[in-house]
Amino acid sequence: MAKCKSTYGLRARTLAWAIQASFVAMPMILPTPVHANVNTQQTNIRALSEKGVYWYERFRFDLAVQSFNKILLIEPTNASALRWQGLIDLARGDVQAANVWLGKLQLVHGNNPFSIELQQAIALASDKRQQFAELRYIADSEQVPANLPQRLRQLLPQPPLGEAAVQIYRLMNRTPEGRSYAREQVAELARQYPDDRRYRTLLAELGGAGASTLAQTPTPSAAQTTRRPANTNRTKPAPAALAQPTTPEVAPPPPAEPEVPTAPVLSDFEQGQQLADNAQKQIDQGNKTEAARLLQNAVDLNPSYPWFRYDLATLLDDQGDAGSKQAARRVMDEGLAQDKGQEMRFAAALLAARQDRGNDAIELIDAVPRENWTEGMTALAKRVQYGQYLDGLRAQERNGDFNALANSIGTTPKWRAEPEVQALEQNLQRKRQVRLRMSYENAIIDGDEGVSRIDSDEIPLQLDLPLDFERTLFLRADTLNANSGRVNPATASNFAKLGTTLPTDPAIASDRLDQNYKGHVVGVGVQTEQYRVDLGTTVGDYPVNDWVGGVQWRTSLGEGSLRLEVARRMVNGSVLSTTGAIDPLTGERWGGARRNGVSAVYYQAFNPTLDFVGIARANLITGKNIPDNTEYNLQGIVGKTVFQRPGHEVEIGASLFLWSFEKNLRFYTFGQGGYYSPQAFGSLTFPITWTGNVNGWSWQAQARVGASESREDDTALYPLNPELAAAAAAQGNPTLQIGGPGGGTSTGLRLALERQVLKNFVVGGYFEIDRSEGYNPDRLQLYLKYSFGDFFELSVPPEGVAPYSRF
C-alpha cells in the first residue's frame, strides 16, 4: 500500500512538472495571432476595470460588480479585480465577504500591494474602526496632540497603502512633525505607483516638494489610467478609487504592409468621454478653468447624460464660494429639466448630499419607486440619514443636552455601532464618572504681624457625584488655616492697629494677641453646563462663622455668551475680612465680611484671533460689627492672538478696571473691615500670555505690567462706636484716618503647569506674584485631579482647584 501511495505521489509530481513546463514553453510555440489575442485580452481587462471604477465612484456597486466579474471570467486570478470585489463588499458594509476576497487574493498572490491594501481597508472598517475613529476625533479637536503622528503610525502593522494611506496621512498633516513625515511617505508612494492619481493629488494637498512635477508626469497610456471624477475631496464619506495595477504591455507585431489610417467617426457620447478624460488631466495639472470648459462641452454634446453633468457640478462645487456652489446646483437642475430619469435623479442627489442638502437628496431619490432603487441609492439614503442623525446628536452635545443625547443614542440602535456615535457615547459615559479634585495652597501678604499680615494655608477638596448625564452633585470640604501672627505690644500703637485698647493693658488675655484661626469651609451644590447652585458655611474656631452660596446661570446672547450670578461670598484680603478677629481686651468679635450681590460676565469672539470679555458687579458688603458698604466695578478685557501653531498660542491683551466703594473700611480697629475699599480706582493692565499643550503637558505663562490711580476718603477708625472714639481722643490717639490719592505702577507674573500622569490622573500647580504700591501677594498651589473611571481630561490652560473661599 505504501508503495502504491509513493508511486501515485511520484506520478502526480511528474504530471505537475509537465504542466508547468508546458506553460513555460507555451509562449515560445504560440503563433503570432495568439500574442495578439493576449494583447486584446489585456486591453479588454483595462477597459472593464475603468468602467468598474467609474461606477464604483458613483455608488453603483451593482454595475461595478458586473465589470469586475467579467474580468475574473477572462482572468480568474486578476489581482486588481479580486481586490476591487473585496472593496465593493466593504463599501456595502459586508466585512465578512471582503475577508473572503482577501483570502482568495492572498492564496494566489501572497502579500502583494493589492492584498495589503485590501487588508488595511478591512482593518480600518473592523478591528481598528473604533481606534481610528478616536484618532479622527482628536485630530478635529482644537488642541491636536503632538503625538498624533506616532499614534497613527502604530495603527497598522505596515505602512498604509491606497485609501488607508490617504486617510492616515491626511490626519498626520494636522501637526508639523506629521506633515513632514507624510510628505516623504506620499512622495515615495507617488514614485512607486505613478498610475495612482490619489498620491499625486494628496502630495499637492500636503504641499510636498515635487508635487507639481509628479502631478504632471504622464502615465504610460490613457487606457491604463483610471479616470476619477473631479470630486476627489468629498464632504461626505464616499468610496474612493484605489490604485490600478499596471498591466504589462505585450507589443503586437508590426503589420505586414502599412495601412492608410482612417479617421474614426465618434459618437457624441464618445466625444464627451474624451472631453471628460482630458478635463481630468487638466484637473491633475491644476487647470480647473480649462477642465470646466471641456466638461461643459461634454454636457452640451450629451445634455441628458447625468455623469458628465455630475463631474462638472462637483468641479464647480469644489471651488467653495457661494456663487460656484449655486452654479453647480444649477447644472444638475438643468439636467433634471432635460431628463427626470433614475440616473439623473441619483446624480443630482449625490451633489445635494455633498452640499449638505440632505433633505433635497432624499426627496430626489424618493421619487424613484423603492423597488427600482440600486444599491448606490440605498447607500446614499443611509448615508444622508446617518449624517442628519449625527448632526442632531452633535447639536445636542454643543447645547449641553446630554440627557437628550443619551436618549437619542439609546433609541436608535441601528447607528450605535458607527464610530462617531460610539465616540459620542464614550464621552457621555465619562460624564457619569465620579471625580476627585484636591489641592494645597499657600498665600502670603506682607503686613503688620497680628494685624494686616497673612500667611494662610488652604486645602480645597471637591468630590463630583454625577446624578445623570447633565447634573453633577458636588461636595466641598476645604480646610482653611488663616494666620496673621501675634500682635506685638512693643510696636503696636494704641487704638491704631487692632481692637480697642492699649496693647500694654494688664487686662489683655495673652492668648488673644494671637490672630491665627483654623477651620473649614464646607458646602454642597449642583451644576450643569448651564447653571450652578451651591450653599455652604464656615465652621471651626473662626471668630465669625457665616453662610455663603449662590446661583449662576449661563446662556447665549447674540454672537456671544452671558453668565449671570447672584451670590453671597467671602471677602478676602486679610484675616479680619475673611474669618473675623477677636479684640484682645474685651474678646468681642468683628469682621467676617460677605459680598452680597449680582454679577454679569459677557464673552464674545469677534474672530478666531480676537475676543472680548466684559464684567459688571454690584455688591452690598456686610459683616459682624462692621458698617455695610456698597461696591461697584466694571472691567473690559480685549485679547489678540499674535502667534499660533499646533500646541502653542501667544496672546497680548489690555484690561481696563474701574472700581468704587461707598466707604473706606480697609483698616483694623474695632468696626473697620480690613479689606481694600477705595472710593475711586482705575487701572490699565497689559498682559502677554503663552499657552501650550504638548505630549501630555499643559502650561500657561503670563507676565503683566500696568498703572493705576486711586482715591480714598477720610475714615473714622471706630465707625460704629463713638465711645471708643472718645476714649481714643482722651488718650491723645487718632480717631480719623486721612485719605487721599494713590496709585502707581504694577507688575505681575503667573506660571502654571499641568501633567497627564495617567488617563484618569492629572497633577499640576501654579505660582503667582503681584507687585504694586501697598499690595504684594504671593500665591502657590499644587493640585491633583482623579477620575474613578477611565479618563480625566488635561485642562488647557491648566486649571487648578479654586478654594471655596474664592468661589
Side-chain angles (χ1 to χ4, degrees):
M1 180 67 69
K3 184 176 180 181
C4 291
K5 288 184 178 179
S6 174
T7 304
Y8 174 78
L10 178 60
R11 289 177 180 175
R13 286 195 296 272
T14 304
L15 179 60
W17 291 335
I19 293 173
Q20 291 179 7
S22 66
F23 274 114
V24 171
M26 192 175 292
M28 303 177 185
I29 62 175
L30 282 176
T32 299
V34 175
H35 283 280
N37 290 338
V38 170
N39 186 62
T40 301
Q41 176 177 303
Q42 294 304 319
T43 302
N44 291 337
I45 288 175
R46 285 196 296 270
L48 287 168
S49 181
E50 291 181 8
K51 186 176 180 181
V53 173
Y54 179 85
W55 290 120
Y56 176 84
E57 291 174 344
R58 288 156 178 80
F59 303 97
R60 289 301 306 271
F61 305 134
D62 52 340
L63 297 179
V65 164
Q66 292 178 17
S67 295
F68 294 117
N69 278 339
K70 290 177 181 178
I71 293 176
L72 293 175
L73 289 174
I74 299 171
E75 187 179 302
T77 61
N78 185 280
S80 176
L82 291 170
R83 181 271 314 263
W84 274 114
Q85 295 286 41
L87 291 174
I88 290 171
D89 281 330
L90 206 58
R92 289 168 165 170
D94 193 342
V95 177
Q96 185 176 358
N99 271 304
V100 173
W101 289 109
L102 176 62
K104 294 179 180 179
L105 187 57
Q106 291 174 330
L107 182 64
V108 179
H109 298 283
N111 280 330
N112 75 346
F114 289 133
S115 302
I116 295 171
E117 189 173 337
L118 178 56
Q119 188 175 29
Q120 291 177 343
I122 291 172
L124 293 184
S126 54
D127 57 319
K128 298 290 184 180
R129 186 176 187 178
Q130 178 62 34
Q131 188 178 353
F132 189 48
E134 291 178 0
L135 292 174
R136 289 203 312 268
Y137 181 80
I138 64 174
D140 291 333
S141 62
E142 292 183 5
Q143 298 290 337
V144 180
N147 66 345
L148 177 63
Q150 180 183 2
R151 294 171 66 179
L152 286 167
R153 290 174 64 179
Q154 295 171 349
L155 191 64
L156 298 171
Q158 295 172 298
L161 292 174
E163 193 62 22
V166 172
Q167 295 183 50
I168 288 174
Y169 291 136
R170 189 169 282 154
L171 291 183
M172 277 194 190
N173 191 44
R174 307 294 174 86
T175 69
E177 297 81 1
R179 185 176 305 117
S180 175
Y181 178 81
R183 287 173 181 169
E184 294 176 2
Q185 298 303 308
V186 177
E188 179 60 28
L189 288 172
R191 284 189 289 269
Q192 290 181 17
Y193 306 100
D195 295 329
D196 193 338
R197 286 194 182 94
R198 286 169 310 160
Y199 298 133
R200 302 198 302 274
T201 301
L202 181 59
L203 188 60
E205 180 184 325
L206 300 179
S212 59
T213 303
L214 284 167
Q216 296 174 11
T217 302
T219 55
S221 70
Q224 285 180 282
T225 303
T226 301
R227 189 179 72 80
R228 295 192 61 185
N231 57 321
T232 54
N233 295 320
R234 299 179 186 269
T235 57
K236 295 289 184 181
L242 302 182
Q244 290 297 299
T246 302
T247 307
E249 292 285 346
V250 182
E257 296 179 1
E259 297 181 0
V260 178
T262 59
V265 178
L266 300 179
S267 66
D268 288 345
F269 179 78
E270 290 172 317
Q271 293 180 58
Q273 189 66 55
Q274 285 188 353
L275 289 166
D277 289 338
N278 290 333
Q280 184 59 53
K281 294 176 182 177
Q282 295 298 321
I283 291 171
D284 291 342
Q285 297 175 9
N287 302 325
K288 294 185 178 180
T289 301
E290 176 61 15
R293 186 189 67 80
L294 293 170
L295 286 171
Q296 184 63 62
N297 290 342
V299 169
D300 292 341
L301 286 170
N302 303 271
S304 61
Y305 183 66
W307 301 113
F308 294 153
R309 285 188 177 276
Y310 179 74
D311 286 348
L312 175 59
T314 54
L315 177 61
L316 294 171
D317 187 65
D318 283 341
Q319 304 308 307
D321 60 279
S324 297
K325 288 184 174 296
Q326 290 175 359
R329 183 173 180 177
R330 190 163 54 248
V331 167
M332 297 312 302
D333 288 345
E334 291 171 356
L336 288 168
Q338 293 274 343
D339 175 20
K340 291 184 171 58
Q342 177 172 323
E343 290 288 319
M344 189 67 77
R345 286 187 176 277
F346 182 46
L350 286 174
L351 178 71
R354 83 191 313 268
Q355 290 186 333
D356 293 325
R357 295 185 288 112
N359 290 334
D360 291 346
I362 296 297
E363 183 180 348
L364 282 163
I365 60 176
D366 271 347
V368 178
R370 189 61 62 101
E371 61 269 17
N372 294 335
W373 275 27
T374 63
E375 290 185 72
M377 288 181 172
T378 302
L380 176 63
K382 288 181 179 178
R383 193 174 78 243
V384 170
Q385 291 165 1
Y386 174 64
Q388 293 174 331
Y389 168 72
L390 192 61
D391 289 343
L393 296 185
R394 287 171 174 164
Q396 289 174 326
E397 183 183 45
R398 286 193 304 271
N399 296 333
D401 300 329
F402 300 114
N403 287 333
L405 175 61
N407 183 65
S408 298
I409 293 175
T411 55
T412 50
K414 66 176 180 177
W415 303 121
R416 202 160 187 171
E418 294 297 330
E420 295 88 352
V421 178
Q422 287 181 347
L424 287 171
E425 189 170 18
Q426 184 181 50
N427 289 338
L428 267 180
Q429 295 304 324
R430 286 171 175 168
K431 293 184 177 296
R432 299 294 300 270
Q433 296 174 359
V434 176
R435 293 185 168 196
L436 175 69
R437 307 165 199 258
M438 184 177 181
S439 72
Y440 167 79
E441 180 173 298
N442 176 255
I444 298 175
I445 300 178
D446 288 342
D448 292 328
E449 190 80 12
V451 181
S452 58
R453 184 177 185 272
I454 294 179
D455 185 355
S456 65
D457 298 316
E458 290 188 74
I459 304 177
L461 177 65
Q462 177 168 326
L463 185 65
D464 295 328
L465 303 170
L467 301 175
D468 52 30
F469 293 106
E470 294 180 10
R471 298 176 302 156
T472 297
L473 175 71
F474 64 89
L475 306 176
R476 293 297 302 238
D478 295 12
T479 298
L480 170 58
N481 300 326
N483 304 313
S484 181
R486 183 178 177 86
V487 179
N488 187 349
T491 60
S493 301
N494 179 42
F495 291 99
K497 294 292 184 183
L498 183 82
T500 63
T501 187
L502 288 168
T504 56
D505 193 313
I508 290 177
S510 177
D511 60 344
R512 290 178 184 163
L513 293 175
D514 290 319
Q515 299 295 319
N516 304 313
Y517 307 106
K518 297 180 179 180
H520 303 277
V521 188
V522 298
V524 61
V526 175
Q527 64 183 6
T528 70
E529 296 282 327
Q530 187 177 26
Y531 66 83
R532 184 186 73 190
V533 180
D534 71 281
L535 180 66
T537 187
T538 57
V539 294
D541 67 353
Y542 302 138
V544 179
N545 284 305
D546 208 344
W547 70 275
V548 294
V551 177
Q552 190 179 94
W553 181 66
R554 302 176 183 86
T555 186
S556 297
L557 187 65
E559 297 296 322
S561 63
L562 178 67
R563 188 184 74 202
L564 300 175
E565 184 172 24
V566 178
R568 174 179 170 86
R569 301 295 179 197
M570 300 172 73
V571 178
N572 302 111
S574 69
V575 172
L576 172 61
S577 68
T578 304
T579 67
I582 300 176
D583 179 18
L585 178 62
T586 66
E588 278 201 81
R589 300 160 184 252
W590 83 105
R594 299 289 185 265
R595 279 189 173 91
N596 308 270
V598 297
S599 66
V601 180
Y602 176 75
Y603 171 81
Q604 180 172 349
F606 298 108
N607 58 53
T609 62
L610 181 66
D611 57 20
F612 168 77
V613 179
I615 305 171
R617 295 187 177 95
N619 295 295
L620 174 65
I621 300 180
T622 61
K624 185 177 182 65
N625 291 325
I626 61 175
D628 293 349
N629 203 359
T630 55
E631 173 193 21
Y632 304 96
N633 67 56
L634 293 172
Q635 187 174 10
I637 307 168
V638 177
K640 171 67 177 178
T641 301
V642 295
F643 174 79
Q644 192 171 30
R645 72 174 191 183
H648 299 271
E649 180 179 280
V650 177
E651 181 184 73
I652 59 174
S655 171
L656 177 64
F657 182 57
L658 304 176
W659 201 14
S660 175
F661 290 81
E662 178 189 2
K663 302 180 182 74
N664 181 9
L665 297 174
R666 74 176 176 95
F667 299 98
Y668 301 87
T669 50
F670 194 85
Q672 284 281 326
Y675 58 90
Y676 183 53
S677 46
Q679 280 54 71
F681 179 92
S683 68
L684 184 61
T685 307
F686 300 96
I688 179 169
T689 308
W690 172 33
T691 304
N693 173 28
V694 173
N695 294 331
W697 290 93
S698 168
W699 69 87
Q700 187 176 71
Q702 184 185 80
R704 52 190 180 270
V705 296
S708 65
E709 292 288 339
S710 66
R711 176 182 59 80
E712 292 181 294
D713 289 347
D714 299 346
T715 180
L717 290 177
Y718 303 98
L720 297 179
N721 299 81
E723 297 84 1
L724 288 176
Q731 294 289 331
N733 292 311
T735 61
L736 185 72
Q737 181 70 39
I738 304 299
T745 60
S746 64
T747 58
L749 178 67
R750 188 177 192 275
L751 302 174
L753 185 66
E754 189 167 297
R755 171 64 171 168
Q756 186 106 39
V757 179
L758 302 171
K759 286 187 66 176
N760 62 337
F761 184 45
V762 174
V763 298
Y766 66 81
F767 175 66
E768 186 173 21
I769 59 174
D770 272 297
R771 295 292 180 267
S772 60
E773 186 177 353
Y775 184 65
N776 54 357
D778 299 336
R779 180 175 286 117
L780 169 69
Q781 184 181 105
L782 302 174
Y783 61 86
L784 62 87
K785 296 184 285 188
Y786 179 78
S787 170
F788 293 91
D790 68 346
F791 187 70
F792 204 122
E793 67 277 5
L794 187 72
S795 299
V796 182
E799 182 180 345
V801 185
Y804 199 25
S805 64
R806 295 204 308 273
F807 249 42

